[in-house]
Amino acid sequence: QVQLVESGGGLVQAGGSLRLSCAASGRTFSSYNMGWFRQAPGKEREFVAAITWTGGSTFYADSVKGRFTISRDNPKNTVYLQMNSLKPEDTAVYYCAAKPGVWSDYAHRYSYWGQGTQVTVSS
């Protein structure tokens, strides 16, 4: 069992930066692949970024590639999402999620989810 709590969301102007954190409970955090997803009003939840359990591989949606960076600190049971050059279209609730086994960009394959943190980018 893994419990996830996101933080770091807020209101930022276009071109600005935010760093999201996701704190996990449980001693098996280091064995899970971690993903960030987002959901804007009226839209489906979409993949943003993922990192393998070792931290050795990262994956990004095309829409955020080059602007967002996912990382993890296993001793601290935390995964991060550094978001730079933010755009109004990045506005959404951001969720972190945990998945054992092979990483995925499909939300339904993730076993555990946080409650989400709101990111709002003003133009």
Side-chain angles (χ1 to χ4, degrees), residues 30-80:
S30 61
S31 66
Y32 286 88
N33 303 292
M34 299 298 296
W36 284 97
F37 293 79
R38 66 187 181 187
Q39 189 166 17
K43 295 187 177 181
E44 292 188 355
R45 193 167 297 190
E46 66 173 358
F47 170 74
V48 174
I51 187 167
T52 54
W53 63 276
T54 63
S57 295
T58 56
F59 309 90
Y60 298 94
D62 287 344
S63 59
V64 307
K65 203 170 292 183
R67 300 188 298 123
F68 291 11
T69 303
I70 188 172
S71 61
R72 67 189 298 162
D73 186 335
N74 283 345
K76 293 185 177 180
N77 280 11
T78 303
V79 63
Y80 305 97

Side-chain angles (χ1 to χ4, degrees), residues 1-5 22-26 112-114:
Q1 191 85 9
V2 177
Q3 292 185 326
L4 305 172
V5 179
C22 174
S25 64
Y112 304 103
W113 291 85

Side-chain angles (χ1 to χ4, degrees), residues 7-21 66-69 81-88 90 94 118-122:
S7 62
L11 174 64
V12 64
Q13 288 189 334
S17 298
L18 281 175
R19 188 194 196 199
L20 305 184
S21 298
R67 300 188 298 123
F68 291 11
T69 303
L81 185 68
Q82 177 67 43
M83 305 186 296
N84 298 328
S85 302
L86 283 161
K87 304 175 181 180
D90 294 318
Y94 283 70
Q118 176 71 48
V119 172
T120 303
V121 184
S122 63

